[in-house]
Amino acid sequence: MLDANLKTQLQAYLEKVTQPFEIVASLDDSDKSRELSGLLHDIVSLTDKITLREDGRDARQPSFALNRPNGTISLRFAGLPMGHEFTSLVLALLQVGGHPSKLSAELIEQIQQVEGQFNFETYFSLSCQNCPDVVQALNLMAVLNPNIRHVAIDGALFQAEVEARQIMSVPSIYLNGELFGQGRMGVEEILAKIDTRSTGRDAEKLKAKAAFDVLMIGGGPAGAAAAIYAARKGIRTGVAAERFGGQVLDTMAIENFISVQETEGPKLARALEEHVKQYDVDIMNLQRASALIPASHAGGLHEVRFESGASLKAKTLILATGARWREMNVPGEQQYRGKGVAYCPHCDGPLFKGKRVAVIGGGNSGVEAAIDLAGIVAHVTLIEFDSQLRADAVLQNKLNSLSNVTIIKSALTTEVLGDGQKVTALVYQDRHSDQLITVELQGIFVQIGLLPNSDWLKGVVELSPRGEIIVDAKGGTNIPGIFAAGDVTTVPYKQIVIAVGEGAKAALSAFDHLIRS
């Protein structure tokens, strides 16, 4: 199952296992069960700390549980955790085997003190770059607290469950049989939802913090670069972010970040965070900004308030809140979001295997999505508002070579139709004839660009007609001491490498402002 190179790497990791445990597999006579058996035999052949039994009786087959002799852990994989989930498997083996996690002592204690019974189920796809964060977070929580149980389920392998629960977006997380959440979630966010007392405690802790010399709002490439450059100046630096990594976390292949030939968004986001942590930077996650109160006088403190009830003050601010997927804003879109309307083809594409879908948007992201989906689904209809596609020629050539793709130009999507549970069709208007045309399908992937995350700044910081923060050559806004960087600004070309440079520039400008004022 595993090639020689992967076995060598895995054996090195498994040397960190200190506490013996067993793998209990539940198998049937399917090809996937035979593949899983081969994978598990490869694993146990690499260490004497792990044993294997194949007499499990779990209803989900193939699946396997990782069990300690004292029976204090309930952690299971249903399916073959390869692809993006192979790292989740390796981490689970290490953590069940006694290797400590990198979580802070405070977070570990909070997990261990959570009371109640929490039976989590996570549906993932092997091509989903968002899913491992959820799987790894819940696996670790199951290792640390016997009240927390977790099973990670390959949605493409257990189609009957996916159909029964009407799952059309991954990761989808269920708690005690009820939908708990969809999309990327980390340990802190999951804890905040199951330990409701933590939000208030955390807000009070943030309010009590001393003022920062420079505070980044946003933890994407711009915010991370700004934090590094500021911290290297020896000034008090903080980062308050809704999620560290920002939009990069939702990016699949990255091949144009200079000096890095190829990487993936989540991997780059982790590298950015680890780099920031090399410096004395106070990172505050799960903080979504809601209001900005500029300093009332020169030399005063700017204040940022957050939806959690927390607030922070700083001598200078760098606004780097990035952007989000642009929505169609048509009837039915919100009703069927996660029920056929999706924004991440890499994550949710496998759930539409053999079905008919549409991609909205003819730019690079839309055409790339259509190409990827064409290899999974029965048919793709690409709908573009303009009279021509805007994607690079090489992508258009590839798209035109695919037999199961229909391209419709000069079309305005007007409505998403469904049966109350899931998407059944899409309606578009032919811009030449004004005729309304219905396309029957099961999925719609929206790829029509980005919107700046600047709603909370309206009426305070000067914005462009498109809602972007207007900045000068040094990243300065119309308010002294407040700077901005990245996709939320008017700087053209929304690229990671540009955001990094703009973040560094904003930090240097903030430092210059501090020493001059």
Side-chain angles (χ1 to χ4, degrees):
M1 180 67 185
L2 300 178
D3 61 37
N5 184 48
L6 201 52
K7 280 186 178 181
T8 300
Q9 295 180 47
L10 183 56
Q11 186 170 28
Y13 282 120
L14 294 179
E15 289 177 359
K16 300 175 182 179
V17 172
T18 59
Q19 184 171 344
F21 66 93
E22 68 176 2
I23 300 174
V24 180
S26 299
L27 307 173
D28 52 24
D29 61 355
S30 66
D31 290 340
K32 287 297 181 182
S33 282
R34 284 186 281 274
E35 287 183 46
L36 179 57
S37 177
L39 170 64
L40 299 179
H41 277 282
D42 281 349
I43 291 171
V44 299
S45 71
L46 301 175
T47 175
D48 60 0
K49 294 289 197 301
I50 307 174
T51 56
L52 173 64
R53 287 172 35 206
E54 296 187 340
D55 58 353
R57 294 292 180 267
D58 191 81
R60 292 188 180 99
Q61 298 178 4
S63 69
F64 63 97
L66 308 183
N67 295 340
R68 281 182 182 168
N70 58 14
T72 57
I73 290 176
S74 181
L75 187 161
R76 177 177 294 275
F77 287 92
L80 273 78
M82 300 300 289
H84 287 292
E85 292 301 339
F86 186 69
T87 300
S88 301
L89 170 60
V90 174
L91 286 173
L93 293 170
L94 295 180
Q95 290 160 357
V96 174
H99 188 67
S101 78
K102 294 182 179 180
L103 278 187
S104 68
E106 184 180 12
L107 265 181
I108 290 174
E109 182 181 6
Q110 186 180 348
I111 294 169
Q112 292 172 332
Q113 291 180 350
V114 171
E115 298 178 351
Q117 292 298 318
F118 303 92
N119 297 312
F120 283 101
E121 300 165 292
T122 302
Y123 291 86
F124 65 85
S125 72
L126 295 179
S127 59
C128 169
Q129 73 268 30
N130 292 325
C131 296
D133 279 6
V134 176
V135 172
Q136 291 166 24
L138 287 169
N139 281 348
L140 177 56
M141 293 172 71
V143 169
L144 294 173
N145 188 329
N147 295 324
I148 299 173
R149 305 163 64 89
H150 182 228
V151 54
I153 306 158
D154 182 353
L157 194 56
F158 292 88
Q159 280 284 339
E161 289 188 42
V162 168
E163 294 288 345
R165 283 179 158 170
Q166 299 290 332
I167 295 171
M168 294 186 173
S169 176
V170 289
S172 284
I173 309 118
Y174 283 75
L175 172 59
N176 299 333
E178 300 293 330
L179 184 63
F180 176 78
Q182 290 179 309
R184 181 188 300 275
M185 299 177 75
V187 169
E188 292 171 300
E189 190 171 356
I190 295 169
L191 264 179
K193 292 189 71 172
I194 66 174
D195 182 11
T196 53
R197 298 170 299 173
S198 66
T199 303
R201 294 196 303 266
D202 292 343
E204 291 305 314
K205 288 179 183 177
L206 262 63
K207 286 181 180 179
K209 288 181 182 288
F212 292 92
D213 290 317
V214 59
L215 174 65
M216 269 54 67
I217 308 300
I228 291 169
Y229 267 73
R232 287 174 62 86
K233 295 296 185 181
I235 58 180
R236 179 167 162 74
T237 304
V239 176
E242 189 172 355
R243 56 174 189 166
F244 205 99
Q247 191 77 11
V248 169
L249 291 166
D250 300 325
T251 305
M252 190 65 173
I254 298 172
E255 299 175 346
N256 57 357
F257 190 70
I258 309 306
S259 84
V260 180
Q261 292 185 19
E262 185 178 355
T263 187
E264 294 177 348
K267 184 177 179 180
L268 178 59
R270 285 192 293 271
L272 288 171
E273 186 169 11
E274 288 303 316
H275 195 174
V276 172
K277 287 180 177 178
Q278 297 299 309
Y279 297 91
D280 186 15
V281 177
D282 191 344
I283 299 176
M284 297 154 281
N285 278 316
L286 296 183
Q287 300 302 324
R288 183 172 186 173
S290 59
L292 168 61
I293 297 91
S296 58
H297 59 277
L301 296 175
H302 305 289
E303 181 182 356
V304 178
R305 294 176 182 173
F306 301 90
E307 289 183 357
S308 65
S311 64
L312 294 168
K313 294 182 179 181
K315 297 176 183 176
T316 62
L317 293 174
I318 296 177
L319 309 176
T321 46
R324 62 191 184 277
W325 292 117
R326 185 186 296 272
E327 298 176 349
M328 297 182 292
N329 292 318
V330 300
E333 180 178 16
Q334 292 304 319
Q335 180 182 355
Y336 293 103
R337 188 181 183 121
K339 298 177 181 179
V341 176
Y343 301 85
C344 180
H346 303 293
C347 303
D348 302 332
L351 300 178
F352 294 84
K353 183 178 181 180
K355 298 178 179 180
R356 301 179 69 85
V357 304
V359 172
I360 313 300
N364 280 348
S365 60
V367 172
E368 287 175 348
I371 292 170
D372 291 343
L373 289 166
I376 302 171
V377 305
H379 187 270
V380 179
T381 300
L382 186 142
I383 297 177
E384 165 59 30
F385 178 83
D386 204 348
S387 59
Q388 59 185 4
L389 302 185
R390 293 164 286 107
D392 295 341
V394 64
L395 293 174
Q396 292 192 45
N397 291 337
K398 174 63 176 176
L399 184 71
N400 289 324
S401 72
L402 301 174
S403 61
N404 63 335
V405 175
T406 299
I407 302 170
I408 301 174
K409 303 171 188 175
S410 298
L412 172 64
T413 303
T414 59
E415 188 175 5
V416 174
L417 303 178
D419 61 6
Q421 297 295 320
K422 59 185 183 299
V423 166
T424 59
L426 172 149
V427 180
Y428 73 88
Q429 182 184 44
D430 185 311
R431 295 178 58 224
H432 295 303
S433 66
D434 290 335
Q435 180 183 4
L436 292 177
I437 301 170
T438 300
V439 181
E440 294 185 358
L441 41 69
Q442 291 79 46
I444 301 168
F445 291 85
V446 183
Q447 301 282 288
I448 53 175
L450 302 171
L451 280 175
N453 294 318
S454 61
D455 294 347
W456 63 289
L457 297 169
K458 289 179 179 178
V460 181
V461 175
E462 187 177 1
L463 305 177
S464 73
R466 298 181 60 179
E468 297 168 323
I469 301 173
I470 297 173
V471 292
D472 61 23
K474 292 186 176 181
T477 70
N478 62 306
I479 302 175
I482 298 181
F483 303 84
D487 287 2
V488 74
T489 73
T490 50
V491 171
Y493 312 119
K494 311 306 183 186
Q495 298 290 310
I496 296 170
V497 69
I498 292 174
V500 168
E502 291 296 310
K505 182 169 66 177
L508 294 174
S509 298
F511 179 71
D512 185 65
H513 176 84
L514 286 169
I515 61 177
R516 291 178 184 277
S517 59

